[in-house]
Amino acid sequence: MTDGPTTGPTADRPLTDGLTADGSTTDGLTADAQKPLVLAAFARGITTLTLDSPHNRNALSSRLVAELRAALAAAGRDERVRAVLLTHTGTTFCAGADLSEPPSASGASGLVDLLRSIVELPKPVVARVTGHVRAGGLGLLGACDISAAGRGASFAFTEARLGLAPAVISMPLLPRLDRRAAARYYLTGERFDAAEAARIGLVTLADPEGDADEELAPVLDGLRRGSPQGLAESKRLVTADVLRAFDRDGEALAALSARLFASEEAREGMRSFLERRDPAWVRQTAADAEVAADTGAIPAAGAAAIPAAGDTGATGSAGASR
C-alpha cells in the first residue's frame, strides 16, 4: 500500500487471460510487489487515478482497495484538485472481487469503506469506462458522481450465478438505478452495453461506438470552473440519499456479504468459475431437462436455456462483488 498517489505512466498494456484454476496468472508471471496498482497523475485541476492491475483484470484485491483509498484521500487533501477521474488500463475497468484471496469480513468492510470514501470525497469523482465492468466493479460506478462509457464497455451483475448477491454495492447503486432494470440484471446476470447502462442510470453518458474522452471533455471543463466550496456543497446535496443508505445498511450488508462468500454454495460457484465449468445447480437443471425430454414431459419455460460452462458473464478474475 502506498502512502498516497504515485505518479507514473498510464499507457495501456495487454491483459492476461485472468486466473487459472489454481489461482495463478495465465502468463506465469507474478506481480511486482513494489509496482503500484493505482497510478496517479495531476493536470489542469484533475487528478487521474488509473487502475493498473492487469494480472487479475483490475479485480478488487485488498491491496488495490487500500491503494485506491489512499490515492482518493490524497486527492481530497490537495487544494489544486477540482475533481478526480477514475479510469483503467487494458480492456477491463474492474472484474469484481479477487477470488485468489480468501473471503473475510474485513474484505467486505474494506469495500464498504472504499465506496463510502468515493461518495464522501469533497471533490467530484468521474469514471471513464472503455472496457468490461463486472459485479463489484459496478459498485465503483455507482459511487462515482458522473460516469462515461465508450467503445468496448460492457456490464454485468454476475453474483447470482456464483452463489452470491450484490450486497455492499447496492448501497450506491439502488438509489440511482431504475428499479425494474435492477431486478432484471441482478437476477439474470445478463450482459448489457453502454447504451443500456445509460438508460437504467448506471452511467451518465454513453457512446457505444465512440470515444469516452470526447463525452467527458465538456464535463471536466465544467468541473474545472467550479469553486472548491461550490463543488463540495453541491455534491453533498446529490449524495445525501446514498450516504443515508450507508448509515442505515452498511454493517448489515457487509455481514451478509461475508456470510455469502463463506457459504458452500458460493465456494462451488467460485470453484466452477475458476475451473471453467458449470456449477452444480446448472448441471442439475440440465439433468432435469434431459429427464423431462426422456419422459415426454414439457419442461418449464426457459429450462433448455442452459448457460455455457463457466459463463458468469465475467471477463476478469472474478465477476463477483461484496
Side-chain angles (χ1 to χ4, degrees):
M1 175 178 172
T2 60
D3 292 330
T6 52
T7 302
T10 60
D12 198 354
R13 295 199 304 273
L15 293 179
T16 71
D17 289 332
L19 294 180
T20 62
D22 64 1
S24 62
T25 55
T26 53
D27 60 5
L29 300 177
T30 57
D32 182 353
Q34 301 305 310
K35 174 186 173 298
L37 303 183
V38 178
L39 308 177
F42 174 82
R44 298 179 57 217
I46 307 296
T47 286
T48 298
L49 301 181
T50 303
L51 305 182
D52 186 32
S53 183
H55 71 284
N56 63 3
R57 296 182 185 269
N58 296 325
L60 294 167
S61 64
S62 57
R63 184 178 157 207
L64 184 142
V65 167
E67 288 190 19
L68 183 53
R69 284 194 68 198
L72 287 163
R77 294 190 298 267
D78 191 335
E79 294 182 356
R80 303 172 302 162
V81 175
R82 293 294 174 268
V84 174
L85 179 65
L86 181 62
T87 187
H88 60 103
T89 59
T91 58
T92 301
F93 176 81
C94 179
D98 187 347
L99 298 189
S100 68
E101 295 186 348
S104 66
S106 62
S109 297
L111 183 57
V112 172
D113 292 341
L114 171 61
L115 297 180
R116 181 161 193 149
S117 70
I118 295 173
V119 177
E120 284 188 324
L121 197 74
K123 317 290 176 74
V125 182
V126 180
R128 171 190 174 276
V129 180
T130 58
H132 308 298
V133 193
R134 299 293 183 263
L138 297 170
L140 295 179
L141 297 186
C144 289
D145 303 289
I146 302 169
S147 54
R151 186 184 300 109
S154 72
F155 309 85
F157 292 94
T158 52
E159 294 88 345
R161 298 188 181 193
L162 296 175
L164 301 166
V168 168
I169 67 171
S170 287
M171 290 185 286
L173 283 168
L174 288 182
R176 292 169 167 168
L177 288 180
D178 175 270
R179 288 303 179 106
R180 299 299 289 177
R184 172 181 176 176
Y185 293 119
Y186 270 31
L187 294 170
T188 67
E190 295 169 90
R191 302 182 192 193
F192 53 97
D193 64 13
E196 178 70 352
R199 186 191 73 80
I200 68 175
L202 178 63
V203 301
T204 314
L205 303 165
D207 186 352
E209 302 303 324
D211 188 345
D213 293 325
E214 292 182 5
E215 295 289 322
L216 282 175
V219 172
L220 296 178
D221 184 60
L223 294 175
R224 290 186 182 100
R225 295 171 181 271
S227 79
Q229 175 177 275
L231 291 170
E233 294 303 323
S234 296
K235 175 170 177 172
R236 198 186 310 276
L237 292 172
V238 297
T239 57
D241 287 346
V242 178
L243 285 175
R244 279 192 285 270
F246 276 87
D247 292 337
R248 182 185 65 241
D249 302 326
E251 186 175 343
L253 289 177
L256 171 61
S257 174
R259 177 173 65 79
L260 291 175
F261 265 82
S263 69
E264 181 54 40
E265 194 162 296
R267 284 194 289 270
E268 164 62 10
M270 290 184 281
R271 278 196 304 266
S272 69
F273 176 84
L274 294 174
E275 295 169 5
R276 299 182 182 274
R277 61 172 174 81
D278 286 332
W281 52 85
V282 173
R283 296 199 304 272
Q284 181 60 52
T285 303
D288 291 345
E290 290 176 2
V291 169
D294 290 343
T295 61
I298 299 175
I306 308 302
D311 182 12
T312 63
T315 59
S317 69
S321 76
R322 297 289 180 181

